[in-house]
Amino acid sequence: MNLKRWGALGTAAVSLAGAMVVTGGATAAHAITGCTWGTIWINGPAGAELPTTARGHSHKTGNHYVKYTNYNPDSRKYVWQWYADNSGGNDGDTKDTFYGYSACSNTPW
């Protein structure tokens, strides 16, 4: 995808994320509280992928981490794509799922 199309995608993502927060939709995740992160462990339970560290947040509802980021030149922001760590426990791993977006002045890397 070329840079112009990525920029349009980022703009749409930021707009969608803002709409989700305003409307209080189910995908307006409580974990996405800005542009900060800590080092967390994901994929911890037996049967999951190899445990590793990630940049994200831990909550009562689980772990949420930044999996992808891209720069939107129109807004001059980085769009952070958050994922939920769906470590299925002893019955095996469940594929991690998309959780939401944040528009940030900095990259998480």
Side-chain angles (χ1 to χ4, degrees):
M1 214 183 282
N2 66 32
L3 185 59
K4 189 173 187 176
R5 290 178 77 189
W6 274 112
L9 177 62
T11 301
V14 171
S15 177
L16 178 61
M20 288 186 295
V21 171
V22 170
T23 61
T27 55
H30 295 95
I32 303 172
T33 57
C35 299
T36 61
W37 55 269
T39 301
I40 62 169
W41 280 99
I42 60 172
N43 304 321
E49 300 139 324
L50 289 176
T52 188
T53 59
R55 293 167 176 91
H57 306 278
S58 292
H59 302 275
K60 287 188 277 187
T61 58
N63 296 324
H64 306 105
Y65 65 97
V66 178
K67 187 170 185 177
Y68 303 109
T69 185
N70 64 298
Y71 182 71
N72 180 335
D74 295 328
S75 66
R76 298 183 184 163
K77 300 278 186 181
Y78 290 90
V79 179
W80 296 13
Q81 295 181 33
W82 291 85
Y83 275 71
D85 175 30
N86 297 322
S87 298
N90 293 331
D91 63 347
D93 192 33
T94 304
K95 185 177 179 179
D96 293 352
T97 53
F98 174 75
Y99 196 67
Y101 294 103
S102 290
C104 306
S105 297
N106 59 304
T107 179
W109 319 125

